Amino acid sequence: MTARALFVCFGILLALTFFGCGESPPSVATDKMQTDQQAESVETTKEAAESVSSAEPENPTEPPQKTFENPYPKGTLYHEFLEAKHNGKPSRLTDYSYAGYHRSQKPLPTVSKDTYRYFDVTEYGARPGDNRSDRDAVIAALTAAHAHDGPAVVYFPPGNFRLFEKSDFGKVPIEITRSNIVLKGAGMGSTQLEFAETHLPARPLILFRSSTGKDDYWRGDKKLNAVATHQVDTYTVEVSDTSGLKPGMRINFNPSMDPNAESTKEFFAPHDVPQGIFNRAKNKGGVLTDIFELHEIKSIDGNLVTFGEPIQLEFDAYQNFQIYRIDGIIEECGIEDLSLRGGWRGVFQHHNGSRYGEDYIMIAMNRVFNSWVRRVRIADYSFAFKQWLCGFNTITDVILEGNPGHLSMVSQSSYGNLFAFIREQRDTHHGLGVSRSGTNSVFYRCVQHESMEAHCGYPRATLYDLNEGGFHPRGGGATFFPMHDKGLTFWNWNVTKPGSFDFWPEGKRYGYFLRPIIAGLHGEKFEIPDVETDLLAFESPGIKTAPESLFEAQLKQRLGYLPEWLVQARDDFESVSRHSVISIAQPLDQTVHNNDVLVSVELDPDLDPSQVTQIDLHVSKTSRWDGFLNLGEISVESLKRRFRLPTDGVWILKLKLTNSRDEISFSKPITVFVGREQNLREVEVVDFAMIPAKAKNKLYQEFVKMGGGEAAKLPTSKVLLLRDKNEPLHTVEVPYREELHQFYRDYGKKTFNKLLDKDLARPLFDGKSNNGGPNVYGYQDTLIQAKFPFNRRINRLDIHWKDEVPGAKVRLEIQTSQDLDAWNSFANDDRLWEFSVGRLGGTLVKAPLPGSNGVSSIYFPERDARLIRLLLTSFPNEIAELKFYGP
């Protein structure tokens, strides 16, 4: 046999993959772990593999023909995985390597004028930095790009482009509906697209979508006669009728599950079938029907259909495998080299906050394959990125910061998507994760704030590989229901916050994860109860396991080499991007200074200073969001500099870091007061009211049911009811907004006003600091508001405590208004209230109370206000008095 033939045979062997559950793991001898470099010595070299076609083998189940050596210690997960591949048997580890652009078999394309036709938005009338909307020009450039017969780039040169102002209500949305169109800027730190407003009803601000126009259909576009009868191997199923199928077609499996079947009991063993499964099935004819898995057909032989990626559904646990065809797919699209900034300004309160904590959906993809998002910064968002019925996309080198809302990134009803080098630098409520049958998703070398997210709906086979962050899986959706099905693996997670987590919390409503694998959980001390029952495997606790990266090892095992583009991207991220974090060490938040302020910089200790290009101090006297001036640079050598602020008053300070990869990142803003506190005077309060946390939370739930808050659409909307079904939503956006805000006003007068309690709030404003105040404690916010006799300039809130300032960490939001109608308006009406004028804490992180001598002084940028509203979360019940001050 020739050398080439030997390599072909070995390539076929490497493509084998099998999925299963296996028995309980044997004990792991972690001290015998070998490094990934040792494993590499026995794998096929890149040079040898390059002599073989990079395409998938024609028959992925062909028996191995080459002598097999396994360098990993027996009893370890990766040793077991390699043995299973060699012997054609199931392994507890599934093969995650099929994730990413073209299954990570080729690099992302280079976008340049050599291969793309550029449509520069400034040639269509856009003028960056003129404080006017550029939407019309961008739509014109998009229209021209869609009309072009070939790859096209809608290009944004350096500058700030305003794409959604109040003047843009009712205009066509920004959508990409054909293949080979890219939105491209001049760099993350050079080009910014700003969205001051959001669509109502809530829709994405930038949408890549199917050319069919369908935007949210769970199963696909057409139900086929074909039914999958049984699984032949990891890649192949037998189908009753293949007449409607062909190679290259994307399909969606839609099986059902009977909660009472023996196969269902076996599926959930050793746990009982969760009650949520029975509850959900009651409304579905006694069976679960919203289970899916997307695939691409590789070949058809008689009644055998083979896919280009592993089947992750366990066929024995389900029945009635319907097949749906997915039409109108677009491919080779992308967005790169720019920043996106939304208009979300409030503190997000889960299931109890403003509508706009849900609606700033920055980027969405629907029926998009082999596409990408790269080198993008997303700030001030409700929802940074989501995708639906998508496959084999890569989302890489993304920074999430600014003011976060509900969710960061999620993959739904999709297969094989790679999230690489994502840095979640702010505390979004739900982090990087999956939902609704998201399958074979890989989160590779990501920095997460709190942890992963799994939002039920049967997501499966998800890998978190070399991630770091607080290890606290979060989930939601159906109660008493698995947040994630089988195949969840945490590989070498670096825990940055000590704690514990129960993956099957009997009796609780949320947080059920079906027997995940945890390998190499290290960093801060972390405890997991019921390891033997709740986990499929728990390997190498406290130290890293081998190989270091499961995704890299499996990709190398499948291809025969690790692609150079991935090695370079990995090295750049690990040497520069992962550690490009900046914060203000001094001054402290909510402190008082003379005009000279010494600013000290804190960098990640693992960041090489030579990789820092520039550090700038930005200051604003307007708000936490706008009006920033660049006061100048701070040298990387000293990391400190004394600045003289332009005037006395309250200032917001933040630092901007630019690294050697031209990525930018901002520090968390802090607030300082410059000047003499004696020059401030107390502002008289003439009226006040309060709604305790429990009453406010109950009110909010009723509000949502009526169409406020998180509701996507107002159910009583006459505008939407009378809209022709073929009429695009943007055409009724203006009248719908008016209808919605009229609902807000009516609700405030009829319902909200009745719950405002003056007597409860009276002790907080009676001028007697030695008296006890009302009960304000709540894990969700208590609402307190006050009225001034006329518009007054204010910039400080003083909280007087019964004794000393408590050591508690809290969350506080301050809103102001000049309109008396705001008194009876619920927190959602941004036309009346300005959100987050002042703040302590954030979405998930609470802040310590400042102050001394029994008083906490909270400063905020000066405002003319007739009304002020406070939202207090986790405050101690020790407040004696509230007072306001201004210049």
Side-chain angles (χ1 to χ4, degrees):
M1 183 177 289
T2 66
R4 179 176 177 81
L6 282 170
F7 284 128
V8 170
C9 291
F10 194 58
I12 293 171
L13 165 63
L14 293 175
L16 289 168
T17 184
F18 291 87
F19 175 72
C21 294
E23 302 298 323
S24 298
S27 61
V28 180
T30 54
D31 58 327
K32 295 183 179 180
M33 280 292 177
Q34 299 186 25
T35 65
D36 196 21
Q37 287 72 26
Q38 291 173 307
E40 290 172 0
S41 66
V42 298
E43 293 182 335
T44 306
T45 64
K46 179 181 176 183
E47 290 76 13
E50 285 176 341
S51 67
V52 187
S53 170
S54 63
E56 293 294 309
E58 290 300 319
N59 183 0
T61 60
E62 182 176 323
Q65 301 292 324
K66 186 178 176 68
T67 302
F68 174 71
E69 296 180 33
N70 192 333
Y72 289 86
K74 290 183 179 180
T76 63
L77 286 162
Y78 202 67
H79 180 279
E80 174 193 310
F81 173 78
L82 293 177
E83 290 291 330
K85 294 283 254 181
H86 176 68
N87 297 317
K89 293 183 179 180
S91 166
R92 285 173 294 171
L93 283 175
T94 187
D95 191 341
Y96 298 100
S97 70
Y98 291 79
Y101 176 77
H102 289 280
R103 300 177 178 82
S104 291
Q105 292 171 193
K106 56 191 294 189
L108 294 174
T110 299
V111 178
S112 70
K113 292 182 179 180
D114 294 335
T115 51
Y116 288 77
R117 166 72 184 278
Y118 273 48
F119 295 85
D120 189 324
V121 296
T122 60
E123 296 177 2
Y124 292 83
R127 296 291 179 267
D130 65 357
N131 293 321
R132 296 182 179 180
S133 173
D134 299 295
R135 192 180 188 88
D136 291 342
V138 172
I139 294 299
L142 268 172
T143 301
H146 278 81
H148 174 65
D149 186 16
V153 168
V154 176
Y155 179 67
F156 297 84
N160 289 348
F161 295 87
R162 304 178 72 90
L163 298 193
F164 205 168
E165 305 295 308
K166 287 181 170 61
S167 60
D168 297 317
F169 291 161
K171 293 181 180 179
V172 296
I174 297 174
E175 295 183 348
I176 292 83
T177 58
R178 80 157 175 88
S179 299
N180 293 293
I181 290 183
V182 178
L183 301 183
K184 183 177 178 65
M188 184 187 294
S190 300
T191 300
Q192 180 163 276
L193 310 185
E194 299 182 358
F195 298 85
E197 301 292 335
T198 182
H199 291 291
L200 291 179
R203 284 160 289 147
L205 294 168
I206 297 177
L207 174 62
F208 295 78
R209 69 169 176 86
S210 161
S211 58
T212 63
K214 296 182 185 238
D215 60 2
D216 194 283
Y217 188 54
W218 282 39
R219 290 163 174 79
D221 295 278
K222 181 176 176 55
K223 183 179 178 181
L224 304 178
N225 293 327
V227 175
T229 55
H230 76 280
Q231 184 174 351
V232 177
D233 59 38
T234 305
Y235 301 86
T236 305
V237 295
E238 184 173 353
V239 174
S240 62
D241 180 0
T242 60
S243 60
L245 303 173
K246 62 181 180 180
M249 180 180 290
R250 280 69 179 245
I251 62 96
N252 209 3
F253 281 132
N254 179 208
S256 59
M257 173 181 275
D258 181 354
N260 296 296
E262 286 299 319
S263 58
T264 303
K265 297 177 183 178
E266 294 174 5
F267 182 79
F268 285 101
H271 304 297
D272 293 334
V273 179
Q275 184 59 44
I277 300 291
F278 293 96
N279 297 342
R280 187 83 169 177
K282 287 180 182 178
N283 301 323
K284 305 282 184 179
V287 296
L288 297 172
T289 59
D290 47 359
I291 303 166
F292 311 98
E293 188 164 302
L294 183 152
H295 282 284
E296 180 178 328
I297 297 175
K298 180 180 179 182
S299 62
I300 300 174
D301 183 6
N303 280 355
L304 299 182
V305 177
T306 299
F307 303 108
E309 58 285 330
I311 300 165
Q312 304 290 10
L313 283 164
E314 291 189 16
F315 262 58
D316 292 343
Y318 304 95
Q319 306 86 37
N320 191 25
F321 274 77
Q322 301 293 323
I323 299 177
Y324 286 78
R325 188 181 73 211
I326 302 173
D327 296 333
I329 288 166
I330 63 173
E331 304 189 63
E332 304 296 338
C333 294
I335 178 169
E336 59 184 49
D337 296 321
L338 46 76
S339 290
L340 299 174
R341 184 182 180 220
W344 169 233
R345 299 291 182 261
V347 171
F348 180 74
Q349 182 77 285
H350 195 233
H351 298 312
N352 193 21
S354 163
R355 160 181 287 278
Y356 301 95
E358 313 285 338
D359 288 358
Y360 278 95
I361 305 168
M362 305 305 291
I363 305 173
M365 291 183 170
N366 189 311
R367 292 171 172 81
V368 179
F369 279 65
N370 297 318
S371 296
W372 66 91
V373 176
R374 62 175 164 183
R375 299 187 297 270
V376 171
R377 172 180 171 267
I378 305 176
D380 303 343
Y381 57 88
S382 312
F383 204 149
F385 172 86
K386 70 175 182 178
Q387 59 183 354
W388 184 269
L389 290 177
C390 292
F392 313 110
N393 298 318
T394 292
I395 298 88
T396 181
D397 289 293
V398 176
I399 297 175
L400 305 175
E401 62 175 27
N403 191 48
H406 197 171
L407 296 114
S408 58
M409 292 189 160
V410 67
S411 185
Q412 302 169 301
S413 289
S414 299
Y415 190 107
N417 294 283
L418 174 63
F419 296 79
F421 319 130
I422 313 298
R423 282 153 282 166
E424 187 186 34
Q425 296 184 358
R426 294 295 180 267
D427 53 336
T428 318
H429 185 87
H430 293 296
L432 309 180
V434 291
S435 169
R436 294 186 179 182
S437 294
T439 304
N440 212 99
S441 305
V442 173
F443 297 87
Y444 165 68
R445 297 181 185 269
C446 296
V447 178
Q448 303 192 212
H449 187 273
E450 185 70 18
S451 188
M452 61 87 68
E453 159 68 14
H455 220 71
C456 81
Y458 324 101
R460 67 189 67 85
T462 305
L463 171 63
Y464 289 87
D465 184 27
L466 278 169
N467 284 219
E468 67 174 270
F471 190 72
H472 186 79
R474 301 177 68 84
T479 55
F480 303 105
F481 198 87
M483 305 298 103
H484 195 288
D485 283 357
K486 293 184 178 180
L488 173 60
T489 297
F490 299 96
W491 195 268
N492 284 335
W493 185 294
N494 179 21
V495 182
T496 58
K497 181 180 177 181
S500 64
F501 188 79
D502 186 350
F503 282 90
W504 201 263
E506 296 283 0
K508 293 190 176 180
R509 298 180 65 192
Y510 300 105
Y512 294 86
F513 294 79
L514 189 54
R515 304 203 76 198
I517 289 173
I518 301 178
L521 189 70
H522 64 285
E524 295 290 339
K525 185 178 180 181
F526 202 87
E527 296 182 359
I528 299 174
D530 302 321
V531 167
E532 186 173 337
T533 302
D534 292 353
L535 303 183
L536 186 60
F538 190 37
E539 179 171 290
S540 187
I543 61 173
K544 281 187 176 182
T545 190
E548 183 183 40
S549 166
L550 180 60
F551 176 70
E552 290 176 19
Q554 289 184 329
L555 183 63
K556 183 173 182 178
Q557 193 270 343
R558 176 164 66 89
L559 300 182
Y561 63 94
L562 196 60
E564 287 184 6
W565 59 266
L566 181 61
V567 173
Q568 185 63 56
R570 174 196 69 191
D571 292 349
D572 288 345
F573 174 75
E574 291 296 346
S575 62
V576 182
S577 301
R578 184 190 283 274
H579 309 293
S580 291
V581 181
I582 190 168
S583 59
I584 299 176
Q586 292 290 336
L588 298 178
D589 192 28
Q590 298 294 337
T591 51
V592 179
H593 303 265
N594 295 323
N595 195 279
D596 287 344
V597 177
L598 178 64
V599 178
S600 299
V601 178
E602 184 174 349
L603 298 175
D604 188 310
D606 293 323
L607 178 63
D608 185 342
S610 67
Q611 301 295 341
V612 179
T613 302
Q614 189 166 316
I615 299 173
D616 298 295
L617 175 65
H618 289 239
V619 299
S620 172
K621 203 175 182 181
T622 304
S623 75
R624 299 170 64 90
W625 328 110
D626 302 303
F628 280 92
L629 305 171
N630 186 348
L631 278 195
E633 291 187 42
I634 300 177
S635 72
V636 180
E637 290 74 23
S638 67
L639 294 181
K640 62 178 60 176
R641 180 180 166 187
R642 190 171 293 278
F643 290 91
R644 186 171 182 83
L645 297 176
T647 63
D648 287 355
V650 177
W651 289 90
I652 307 296
L653 280 59
K654 65 180 181 180
L655 297 172
K656 178 185 178 183
L657 168 70
T658 305
N659 67 22
S660 59
R661 299 187 69 195
D662 197 33
E663 299 170 322
I664 64 170
S665 179
F666 286 90
S667 70
K668 182 179 178 181
I670 68 163
T671 304
V672 298
F673 176 78
V674 174
R676 295 171 58 86
E677 291 181 290
Q678 296 88 331
N679 292 337
L680 300 181
R681 52 182 179 164
E682 185 176 351
V683 178
E684 180 187 5
V685 171
V686 295
D687 200 2
F688 38 78
M690 171 179 166
I691 300 181
K694 287 185 178 180
K696 180 177 177 293
N697 296 347
K698 182 179 179 181
L699 177 67
Y700 187 77
Q701 301 309 314
E702 296 173 354
F703 185 64
V704 169
K705 291 178 182 178
M706 295 177 66
E710 297 165 62
K713 296 178 183 178
L714 189 65
T716 58
S717 170
K718 294 181 180 179
V719 171
L720 299 181
L721 179 65
L722 297 175
R723 178 181 68 98
D724 185 280
K725 65 179 181 180
N726 296 319
E727 187 179 7
L729 271 174
H730 71 268
T731 61
V732 297
E733 188 168 65
V734 173
Y736 177 73
R737 284 177 179 273
E738 292 302 320
E739 184 180 40
L740 182 66
H741 282 280
Q742 185 61 51
F743 161 73
Y744 286 168
R745 289 189 288 269
D746 292 343
Y747 184 86
K749 293 176 181 178
K750 295 177 181 177
T751 305
F752 178 75
N753 182 46
K754 296 178 181 178
L755 293 179
L756 287 171
D757 194 319
K758 184 169 183 174
D759 290 336
L760 274 178
R762 190 181 306 278
L764 299 174
F765 299 96
D766 61 4
K768 301 175 182 178
S769 296
N770 59 338
N771 288 353
N775 187 331
V776 298
Y777 180 81
Y779 75 96
Q780 291 187 320
D781 50 39
T782 289
L783 181 150
I784 298 171
Q785 59 190 38
K787 183 185 298 183
F788 308 128
F790 46 84
N791 275 1
R792 282 296 311 270
R793 199 78 172 161
I794 58 172
N795 64 5
R796 191 177 95 190
L797 160 68
D798 276 7
I799 304 174
H800 292 257
W801 301 96
K802 297 176 185 176
D803 297 305
E804 289 301 308
V805 176
K809 291 185 176 181
V810 303
R811 183 166 71 175
L812 167 69
E813 178 177 7
I814 301 174
Q815 301 174 359
T816 61
S817 178
Q818 298 183 49
D819 191 331
L820 287 176
D821 286 343
W823 185 263
N824 293 324
S825 171
F826 204 33
N828 302 66
D829 198 339
D830 70 322
R831 290 187 176 185
L832 298 176
W833 289 103
E834 182 182 5
F835 294 158
S836 292
V837 172
R839 176 183 299 178
L840 285 180
T843 299
L844 297 173
V845 176
K846 298 178 176 67
L849 287 159
S852 60
N853 299 322
V855 180
S856 294
S857 293
I858 315 296
Y859 291 91
F860 48 90
E862 294 173 11
R863 289 292 185 278
D864 280 325
R866 184 71 188 276
L867 307 177
I868 190 164
R869 174 175 284 172
L870 311 178
L871 299 174
L872 286 67
T873 305
S874 298
F875 266 70
N877 291 318
E878 300 169 20
I879 300 177
E881 191 77 9
L882 298 174
K883 295 182 179 181
F884 303 97
Y885 293 83

